[in-house]
Amino acid sequence: MRTRAGLVAAALVAAPVLVGVAYAVLAALGLAGAGATGLTTARVARVLAERATWAGLGWSLWVAGAATLLATAGAALVALAFRGAGALDRAGRLLAALPLPVPHLVAAALGVQLLGQSGLVARAGHALGLVARPDDVPALLYDPLGTGLILTMAWKELPFLSVVAASVLATRGARAEEAARTLGAGRWATLALVTWPLLWRGLMPAVVAVFVFVAGNYEVAALMAPSDPLALPLLTAERAVDPDLSRRGDAYVLALVALGVGALAVAAHEWARARWGATAE
Amino acid sequence: MSAKGRATGPLRLLLLAALALSAVAPFALLAVQSGARGWFFPAFLPPALDLEAWRGVAAGGSALAAAFATSAALATLVALLATALALPAGRALARLEAPARHLGAAAVFLPVAAPPIALGTGLQVVLLAVGLGGTAAGVLAAHLVPATGYLALFFLGVFGAYDERPEEAARTLGATWAQTARLVTLPRLARSLGEALALGFLVSWAQFALTLTVGAGAVRTLPLEVYALVRAGQDREAAVGALLLSVPAMLALAALRWAARRTDALPA
């Protein structure tokens, strides 16, 4: 009875996504939506054969991976550097977490103002005599590598990961580290063989969540990403309003690709939680 | 203090300074930009400052003021409804044993993990079919999807460590379900309910892609307004909007941390 109630509750919460997926599948197969012509896999085959699809997906995954890696490294450094109970440690943790509630759109607006070729960083360069004109400044926005976007998202996601990392260190590992030091392990050996494995395992669910969120974020990409390759969220939105009605259904195929990435992340997240989320002290 | 401790002291201070700069400088930039007039490359400091952009918002007639009100109303309703939906769902999930609990947690994580533009593309047609496309009610329904997912996961965590024995004792002593809920359960969950409301508010407050796809541009929330201002290069108004977008979110998080610290749920 309890099992059924719990699973029904979960199904109800997931239902809108499942309904959306079901409609997207029907539209992708030509059975619904604008440009529907009856059951066909031609649209799916065409979209999956397009360079833009894989370029967009690859670019989104590259940006998500790079930003997540940077944010995770920063969060681990902050958590390890400020894990004590003193005033300096509390200040470090607080400052690291302060930007946590900043909406992603605000982070993007800041990124544009700071990193643009006539942005504040460029003006600081001019004041220091390093650049004369905006053209002299390397393009960090709308560039093929997504440099500005990666830096912006790393800044945005670091607070969340640092809060999780601090929590992991505060609630796990103290006894294991104590035991290692008692058995003669040095400071760096304890860090490498005890602290770091506990930290990254405890962080893994949050890292997966950050990765999938960055990969699927629309507004930051809309303000900072290049037009070629076009990030997957932007490509999806572009096809959804395509003047050619027969191509609007492509948006559903792309949405299913994005949801597939999300579903893989959910599976990875749950696997990480099940594997390491309940690790006892 | 050891020599090694003294050596790492300056490094920690440097890291602290970097964190302080990273946390404070962006908001200082937004604050200055919101009042800067004619601030173009290569000027590092603005040539003039005034409050004209803020006066426009305070007067209440601007698009930013209207968008702020729309976002505040939407986020408040989403917070209340999502909390009401997610609390029983999270409690039911917490009563599951593994592996059903992992399956349930994965299911409620789906609305959180689904990319908003993909989620919006799927929801848009459904909401259009029921006549809610391009309406505030449709945007509300769309925001409820990820908010309920987030809060269901939150309440799964709350009820995972929850002791049901006081409720069982009350029922054993003759209290009805409603009496138990009112006199035992709700007071014990008061702090968690506050945290859930703040989280639900934040999820809706910052939503962009869902509002854009489901609202079809007809529902002008603060994120959409700020986006349009940034794209149009209206830096002053965009900075005002960005600050308006950030401040309630930071207040909500501050309230969350204050509540958590009162229960020692967070390290100091």
Side-chain angles (χ1 to χ4, degrees):
Chain A
M1 176 73 173
R2 280 191 167 187
T3 303
R4 191 167 60 181
L7 292 176
V8 165
L12 286 173
V13 173
V17 180
L18 298 174
V19 167
V21 168
Y23 186 87
V25 170
L26 290 175
L29 295 174
L31 293 171
T37 56
L39 180 63
T40 175
T41 57
R43 185 195 302 283
V44 176
R46 178 173 54 74
V47 172
L48 293 183
E50 284 180 3
R51 173 193 163 275
T53 301
W54 299 105
L57 176 64
W59 195 90
S60 292
L61 293 178
W62 149 249
V63 163
T68 305
L69 188 65
L70 276 177
T72 305
L77 179 65
V78 167
L80 289 168
F82 300 109
R83 63 183 298 194
L88 204 69
D89 300 280
R90 291 199 303 273
R93 289 193 296 270
L94 176 65
L95 287 170
L98 210 56
L100 180 63
V102 171
H104 286 78
L105 184 63
V106 174
L110 283 164
V112 169
Q113 292 305 319
L114 281 169
L115 302 175
Q117 284 181 294
S118 59
L120 196 65
V121 172
R123 298 178 200 193
H126 182 274
L128 293 170
L130 299 173
V131 298
R133 304 175 311 173
D135 290 349
D136 297 336
V137 181
L140 297 179
L141 302 184
Y142 323 118
D143 63 314
L145 284 178
T147 313
L149 198 156
I150 289 169
L151 291 173
T152 300
M153 289 305 258
W155 175 82
K156 175 65 188 85
E157 301 301 336
L158 185 144
F160 168 65
L161 290 174
S162 69
V163 167
V164 175
S167 177
V168 168
L169 286 179
T171 56
R172 307 180 190 190
R175 281 186 283 170
E177 289 170 327
E178 216 175 285
R181 298 300 291 269
T182 303
L183 291 169
R187 181 176 169 173
W188 295 110
T190 303
L191 176 66
L193 300 174
V194 178
T195 311
W196 174 244
L198 283 168
L199 179 58
W200 78 258
R201 287 188 173 98
L203 262 181
M204 191 52 60
V207 168
V208 170
V210 163
F211 176 86
V212 74
F213 193 87
V214 174
N217 186 271
Y218 176 85
E219 56 266 36
V220 180
L223 286 176
M224 304 182 80
S227 55
D228 183 28
L230 196 59
L232 191 63
L234 302 185
L235 184 63
T236 307
E238 184 183 81
R239 294 291 171 89
V241 296
D242 199 311
D244 182 353
L245 291 181
S246 66
R247 284 176 72 84
R248 286 197 180 181
D250 295 2
Y252 296 104
V253 181
L254 294 168
L256 287 172
V257 171
L259 286 167
V261 171
L264 282 174
V266 167
H269 180 275
E270 273 312 296
W271 176 80
R273 259 165 43 101
R275 178 81 170 77
W276 295 312
T279 303
E281 293 306 308
Chain B
M1 185 187 295
S2 67
K4 196 173 279 187
R6 281 198 293 273
T8 56
L11 289 177
R12 290 215 309 160
L13 287 174
L14 196 63
L15 185 55
L16 194 70
L19 287 172
L21 189 68
S22 161
V24 174
F27 299 101
L29 171 62
L30 286 177
V32 169
Q33 188 145 55
S34 69
R37 181 176 285 282
W39 192 20
F40 305 114
F41 184 94
F44 186 71
L45 294 174
L49 290 170
D50 61 44
L51 294 176
E52 187 183 324
W54 285 101
R55 281 195 208 101
V57 174
S62 70
L64 267 179
F68 183 90
T70 301
S71 283
L74 265 174
T76 303
L77 282 171
V78 167
L80 290 167
L81 291 170
T83 300
L85 292 170
L87 190 153
R91 186 163 197 170
L93 281 170
R95 288 171 171 164
L96 293 174
E97 304 286 337
R101 179 187 280 210
H102 295 303
L103 188 63
V108 302
F109 191 51
L110 265 179
V112 175
I117 198 71
L119 186 60
T121 305
L123 285 176
Q124 180 192 36
V125 178
V126 175
L127 290 168
L128 275 170
V130 297
L132 292 180
T135 68
V139 172
L140 173 71
H143 285 198
L144 273 176
V145 175
T148 308
Y150 268 110
L151 294 188
L153 284 172
F154 171 77
F155 281 116
L156 172 59
V158 168
F159 285 110
Y162 190 74
D163 185 357
E164 292 191 339
R165 285 177 295 181
E167 279 90 347
E168 286 169 11
R171 297 299 301 274
T172 302
L173 291 170
T176 63
W177 179 88
Q179 284 173 325
T180 305
R182 185 169 53 88
L183 298 171
V184 180
T185 309
L186 285 178
R188 294 177 72 206
L189 289 177
R191 194 161 293 118
S192 298
L193 284 172
E195 291 167 0
L197 287 171
L199 276 171
F201 183 93
L202 288 174
V203 169
S204 172
W205 180 255
Q207 275 296 333
F208 180 86
L210 275 180
T211 312
L212 185 66
T213 48
V214 174
V219 181
R220 301 295 295 185
T221 59
L222 192 55
L224 258 66
E225 206 59 43
V226 171
Y227 174 82
L229 289 168
V230 174
R231 286 296 293 256
Q234 293 184 261
D235 294 341
R236 279 176 14 132
E237 289 75 12
V240 171
L243 285 169
L244 287 176
L245 206 47
S246 301
V247 169
M250 299 192 84
L251 288 175
L253 181 69
L256 276 174
R257 286 184 69 90
W258 174 79
R261 190 162 293 117
R262 286 187 66 197
T263 59
D264 296 324
L266 279 183

